[in-house]
């Protein structure tokens, strides 16, 4: 609601599936993305520098740098990178490996390719070192960016959205300002058919009963209470 001194409050505009429509990017699994990013992904911390140098010249062209900052791969790391590289907002992926790590790079590349996305794998120890890998990576990115424009566009609406939040650093005002504001936005999005996700269990302390009352099932209500009690 908007309030201007001397004027009566104005009602919020209705946020509905009919009023909020735009063109997104169609993925082969039926999901839709609002972006069509190219990811440069390092599979071990030792490849971080090379991946960053590859991505740097294209930072304003939808190229993003992500990766696994450890040295010893685990199931969790693989799962995270698998989900990120096949996210609906991703259209192409360049994997950068050092070569001696035990991350299953061939498997990840195959998964990305099977999802219909453009993908390439560069192994630093096989490509001839740092400088040659950076050069090869930049050439691939430069050649691939125009190909992203060929990804089919599709109509999208609020019901296609999955919106997530992450804590940016809580202080004494969070419960008075940011949290209620996010809650109001989420209420409007959910009412319009979208999916909203929040985290940071500690932020729920004191209001778990309010959320439990809004739970879709008794089981979910109990799970909410248990999560806060554990925190």
């Amino acid at each position: 609601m908007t309030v201007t001194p001397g004027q009566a409050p104005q009602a919020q505009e209705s946020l509905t599936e009919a009023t909020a429509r735009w063109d997104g990017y169609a993925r082969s699994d039926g999901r839709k993305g609002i972006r069509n990013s190219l990811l440069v992904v390092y599979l071990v911390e030792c490849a971080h520098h090379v991946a960053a140098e590859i991505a740097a010249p294209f930072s304003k062209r939808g190229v993003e740098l992500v990766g696994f900052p450890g040295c010893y791969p685990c199931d969790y790391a693989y799962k995270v990178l698998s989900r990120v590289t096949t996210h609906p907002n991703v259209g192409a992926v360049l994997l950068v490996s050092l070569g001696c790590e035990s991350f299953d790079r061939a498997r990840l590349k195959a998964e990305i390719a099977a999802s219909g996305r453009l993908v390439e794998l560069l192994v630093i120890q096989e490509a001839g070192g740092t400088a040659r890998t950076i050069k090869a990576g930049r050439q691939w990115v430069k050649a691939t960016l125009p190909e992203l424009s060929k990804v089919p566009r599709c109509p999208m609406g609020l019901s296609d959205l999955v919106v997530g939040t992450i804590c940016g650093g809580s202080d004494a005002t969070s419960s008075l300002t940011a949290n209620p504001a996010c809650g109001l936005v989420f209420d409007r999005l959910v009412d319009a058919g979208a999916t909203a996700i929040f985290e940071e269990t500690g932020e729920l302390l004191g209001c778990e009963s309010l959320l439990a009352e809004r739970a879709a099932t008794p089981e979910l209500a109990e799970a909410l209470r248990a999560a806060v009690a554990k925190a």
Side-chain angles (χ1 to χ4, degrees):
M1 181 176 293
T2 302
V3 179
T4 303
Q7 296 182 0
Q10 299 176 356
Q12 291 177 331
E13 293 183 4
S14 176
L15 189 62
T16 67
E17 189 75 4
T19 59
R21 305 290 296 178
W22 63 92
D23 284 339
Y25 298 91
R27 304 304 177 191
S28 61
D29 61 3
R31 294 185 296 171
K32 303 174 183 179
I34 60 173
R35 298 183 182 88
N36 198 28
S37 301
L38 188 155
L39 298 187
V40 178
V41 183
Y42 54 95
L43 303 181
V44 63
E45 182 59 28
C46 305
H48 190 162
H49 169 73
V50 171
E53 287 298 309
I54 292 172
F58 309 98
S59 60
K60 295 182 179 180
R61 297 181 61 187
V63 175
E64 301 181 40
L65 175 70
V66 298
F68 173 55
C71 293
Y72 298 96
C74 60
D75 291 341
Y76 175 76
Y78 186 92
K79 181 179 180 180
V80 169
L81 288 185
S82 175
R83 298 296 189 272
V84 169
T85 53
T86 57
H87 189 280
N89 287 342
V90 175
V93 181
L94 174 62
L95 301 174
V96 183
S97 164
L98 177 60
C100 55
E101 77 276 8
S102 55
F103 193 101
D104 196 344
R105 53 184 179 266
R107 176 187 169 196
L108 182 58
K109 180 183 178 182
E111 283 189 12
I112 298 169
S115 74
R117 290 165 174 80
L118 299 169
V119 61
E120 179 60 284
L121 168 65
L122 291 178
V123 181
I124 298 170
Q125 293 172 344
E126 297 176 1
T130 296
R132 290 184 179 180
T133 305
I134 292 173
K135 181 179 180 180
R138 289 178 177 176
Q139 289 175 340
W140 187 84
V141 171
K142 184 177 180 180
T144 302
L145 283 173
E147 295 298 311
L148 288 179
S149 64
K150 300 178 183 179
V151 174
R153 303 303 296 268
C154 61
M156 287 186 69
L158 292 171
S159 61
D160 296 307
L161 288 181
V162 179
V163 181
T165 59
I166 185 170
C167 179
S170 300
D171 60 25
T173 67
S174 295
S175 61
L176 301 175
T177 56
N179 292 356
C182 288
L184 288 172
V185 171
F186 272 15
D187 282 345
R188 295 187 69 189
L189 287 171
V190 170
D191 288 344
T195 298
I197 303 172
F198 65 89
E199 48 85 55
E200 194 81 20
T201 308
E203 299 283 2
L204 304 181
L205 295 174
C207 63
E208 60 270 23
S209 60
L210 298 176
L211 283 176
E213 291 174 0
R214 300 174 63 178
T217 65
E219 292 78 14
L220 180 56
E222 183 56 35
L224 280 167
R225 294 190 184 94
V228 175
K230 182 179 180 181

